[in-house]
Amino acid sequence: MSDFRAIPKSPSIPEIVLEEIQRLIAEGKVRPGDHLPSETELAERFGVGRSSIREAMRVLQLIGVVEVIQGKGTFVRQAGILPLMIDWSRISQTGLISEAMEARQFMEVLLARLAAERATHDDIEALRRSLRQSEESLSNMESNVRAGVDFHLVLADAAHNQILALMYRTITDLYLEVARRMRITPEMAHDRFHDHERLLEAVASRDPQAAADIMKDHLDKAYQILSAGEPETKSA
Amino acid sequence: MSDFRAIPKSPSIPEIVLEEIQRLIAEGKVRPGDHLPSETELAERFGVGRSSIREAMRVLQLIGVVEVIQGKGTFVRQAGILPLMIDWSRISQTGLISEAMEARQFMEVLLARLAAERATHDDIEALRRSLRQSEESLSNMESNVRAGVDFHLVLADAAHNQILALMYRTITDLYLEVARRMRITPEMAHDRFHDHERLLEAVASRDPQAAADIMKDHLDKAYQILSAGEPETKSA
DNA sequence: CCTTATCAGGTCATCAGACATCTGACAACA
DNA sequence: TGTTGTCAGATGTCTGATGACCTGATAAGG
């Protein structure tokens, strides 16, 4: 049973249009200040409806890639970093996955240390609950991955810095995409569960250094498995 | 003559819908996992067309606030930091500034350490250039602030992790908003310049611990000035 | 009894068309 | 010359129609 991975859903038309426009900008085909073709013309050129163009433009407008002025037209702007962050998929394309994993690692070690310093009684209770839920789903791989991620998110909240927690959550979204391709054995699940137990212990006994060390060790393991699963970035 | 102020342009309907939905989520009226009303029903309730709802939903979907499943409906998700980044103002509204400052501090110390480990010859050259530019603008406060920030950004790039650099950059955008209200004396500018010199030294001599320590000290000073400038968060 | 087909209802995906509103340019007018 | 009228073209918005997809109930078949 199970070797049936979920079928990746193809991107919707507005998403395709979105990436197409961003590609044009990235390749310098259209430059900041340029006047984009009208929505009607774009719709004709792409062979899609005007509403699809509009949905894409609305997104581009909000993330600052274009400026839309009623009656005048749509103009390309000097974009910031939002476009990159929104389109995580581009991160894998540009080979930033290992950097994202590394960033996640640093964030998580920091969050573990902070959690050990600041966790309230309620936080520790929440961690305990999450751990118990993880234990119950040890047999079911699918839900176990979710439960495992949940533990990390609860830990992030226990660090009592919402900005850091939100940033961590953003990176984790990407991690889940990558982790989906991993094959997880029951031993690995059990091992991870044990790590979580030790983490909870360190947090509960307010030992920041231990929490950080355990987390670092915990993530090193996961990272090794990950890079072993996809052997490509080797050699110089 | 003149009492005719420009009429402020009202936000478009999809933008209003967007904020309305986000408000509902922020206020906990709808919670993660909840099933949003159908597009048709939302259109009727808000008294707008379905296409306006769709444009708003497309944005919410892309920034991870909702998950849209064809045939099933639209569901609220646990969002990351993207919604906040799109609307920075909300960070100050929700009193997250001190947390953002703390996050910036952690990120920057980490980046300084990494930079000391990984900086190439070119990176160090870029740092030197930035420092020199900062020295030239020591007399001009306005451009000096910019130059000072630039040094930190160059340092972030020298850490050779684009994801961390991106995250740092986003936080720094907010920091600039806050820093604008600070009154900067020539002594402070000179002091900061000296800190930057020491940082460059630590990086050039590949001393991660020293770089991290100097940066921590450097930011502590700035943070003290900042909290002194706006005395409000005192007492319990 | 269990499995499979089929159907109906609800929902999102997309398109086409219509009208409103805004902008800029140019013609018409005084 | 300067103001006003008009129009083309752009975005803003709404509506209706069609298709694709998911769910649950029910019927047909083994």
Side-chain angles (χ1 to χ4, degrees):
Chain A
M1 202 210 286
S2 169
D3 239 351
F4 296 88
R5 280 163 304 164
I7 295 172
K9 61 172 186 296
S10 51
S12 64
I13 287 184
E15 276 166 6
I16 296 174
V17 173
L18 191 84
E19 290 195 13
E20 202 60 16
I21 305 275
Q22 287 192 284
R23 189 179 61 77
L24 287 177
I25 294 174
E27 291 179 358
K29 297 276 173 47
V30 292
R31 331 177 91 268
D34 278 5
H35 189 164
L36 247 49
S38 77
E39 295 178 350
T40 314
E41 187 176 343
L42 281 176
E44 284 172 2
R45 280 210 221 171
F46 284 124
V48 301
R50 200 183 136 212
S51 40
S52 299
I53 300 287
R54 278 192 63 76
E55 284 178 28
M57 285 305 173
R58 177 70 66 187
V59 172
L60 289 173
Q61 181 186 23
L62 225 82
I63 64 180
V65 174
V66 302
E67 180 171 12
V68 183
I69 305 175
Q70 182 180 169
K72 283 183 76 172
T74 307
F75 302 85
V76 179
R77 283 184 41 175
Q78 188 80 23
I81 45 147
L82 250 44
L84 254 191
M85 302 212 67
I86 283 193
D87 197 13
W88 280 116
S89 65
R90 190 165 309 175
I91 288 185
S92 50
Q93 285 168 21
T94 47
L96 294 180
I97 280 194
S98 59
E99 294 189 5
M101 293 296 101
E102 188 190 60
R104 177 171 178 267
Q105 205 158 353
F106 283 128
M107 296 282 297
E108 193 122 54
V109 171
L110 170 61
L111 287 168
R113 184 192 309 273
L114 287 178
E117 289 174 1
R118 304 175 176 179
T120 66
H121 186 69
D122 284 350
D123 291 328
I124 295 175
E125 268 312 300
L127 282 171
R128 248 188 259 283
R129 264 198 305 279
S130 172
L131 197 61
R132 213 172 307 142
Q133 200 164 3
S134 181
E135 188 173 19
E136 287 169 6
S137 63
L138 259 180
S139 54
N140 184 334
M141 283 304 114
E142 173 73 19
S143 65
N144 185 251
V145 168
R146 234 194 305 276
V149 169
D150 181 61
F151 182 85
H152 287 248
L153 291 176
V154 173
L155 191 68
D157 285 338
H160 288 272
N161 183 310
Q162 294 183 54
I163 301 290
L164 286 174
L166 286 173
M167 293 175 101
Y168 170 68
R169 204 180 289 270
T170 307
I171 294 191
T172 297
D173 279 350
L174 171 65
Y175 167 72
L176 279 177
E177 286 295 317
V178 178
R180 187 164 304 164
R181 303 178 211 151
M182 287 175 51
R183 204 183 308 273
I184 297 173
T185 66
E187 291 81 39
M188 284 157 60
H190 200 276
D191 191 34
R192 178 177 57 191
F193 174 73
H194 183 58
D195 280 350
H196 286 184
E197 271 185 322
R198 289 169 59 210
L199 265 169
L200 173 54
E201 226 173 284
V203 171
S205 58
R206 306 216 169 280
D207 187 341
Q209 193 55 48
D213 290 343
I214 294 170
M215 180 61 91
K216 186 162 189 337
D217 179 56
H218 177 53
L219 294 175
D220 276 343
K221 273 188 259 179
Y223 191 66
Q224 280 170 20
I225 293 169
L226 210 62
S227 43
E230 289 194 63
E232 37 184 339
T233 49
K234 215 45 183 295
S235 82
Chain B
M1 204 211 284
S2 168
D3 241 350
F4 296 88
R5 281 164 300 166
I7 295 174
K9 66 170 187 294
S10 51
S12 64
I13 290 185
E15 277 166 5
I16 296 174
V17 172
L18 191 81
E19 289 195 15
E20 201 62 16
I21 304 273
Q22 287 193 284
R23 189 180 61 78
L24 289 176
I25 294 175
E27 291 179 358
K29 298 278 172 48
V30 292
R31 328 175 95 268
D34 276 8
H35 188 224
L36 246 50
S38 76
E39 295 178 349
T40 315
E41 188 177 342
L42 281 176
E44 285 172 0
R45 282 210 220 172
F46 284 126
V48 301
R50 200 164 75 85
S51 41
S52 299
I53 300 288
R54 277 191 63 75
E55 283 180 28
M57 284 306 171
R58 176 70 64 186
V59 172
L60 290 173
Q61 181 187 22
L62 240 83
I63 64 180
V65 174
V66 302
E67 181 172 11
V68 183
I69 306 177
Q70 182 179 163
K72 278 183 80 172
T74 306
F75 302 84
V76 179
R77 281 185 45 175
Q78 189 84 15
I81 200 176
L82 254 58
L84 276 184
M85 284 172 50
I86 285 185
D87 192 12
W88 277 117
S89 63
R90 194 170 316 170
I91 288 188
S92 47
Q93 283 170 18
T94 48
L96 292 180
I97 283 194
S98 60
E99 295 189 5
M101 291 298 104
E102 188 189 60
R104 176 173 177 266
Q105 205 158 354
F106 284 126
M107 297 282 297
E108 192 123 54
V109 171
L110 170 61
L111 286 169
R113 186 193 307 273
L114 287 178
E117 289 174 1
R118 306 177 175 175
T120 66
H121 186 69
D122 285 349
D123 292 327
I124 294 175
E125 266 315 297
L127 280 172
R128 248 189 259 282
R129 263 198 307 279
S130 171
L131 197 60
R132 211 172 311 141
Q133 199 163 4
S134 180
E135 188 173 18
E136 287 169 6
S137 63
L138 258 179
S139 54
N140 184 335
M141 283 303 114
E142 173 73 18
S143 65
N144 185 251
V145 167
R146 234 194 303 279
V149 169
D150 182 61
F151 182 84
H152 287 248
L153 291 178
V154 173
L155 191 68
D157 285 337
H160 288 274
N161 183 311
Q162 294 183 52
I163 302 292
L164 286 173
L166 280 177
M167 297 179 107
Y168 169 68
R169 210 175 283 252
T170 62
I171 296 191
T172 297
D173 279 348
L174 172 65
Y175 167 73
L176 280 176
E177 285 295 316
V178 179
R180 186 163 305 163
R181 302 179 213 150
M182 287 176 50
R183 203 182 312 271
I184 298 174
T185 66
E187 290 82 36
M188 284 157 59
H190 200 276
D191 191 33
R192 180 176 58 192
F193 175 73
H194 183 60
D195 279 349
H196 285 185
E197 272 185 322
R198 290 170 58 211
L199 265 170
L200 173 55
E201 224 173 287
V203 170
S205 59
R206 306 219 169 277
D207 188 340
Q209 192 55 45
D213 290 342
I214 295 170
M215 180 60 92
K216 186 162 190 334
D217 180 55
H218 177 54
L219 294 174
D220 276 342
K221 274 186 258 177
Y223 192 65
Q224 279 169 21
I225 295 168
L226 209 63
S227 42
E230 290 193 61
E232 36 185 338
T233 50
K234 212 50 183 291
S235 83

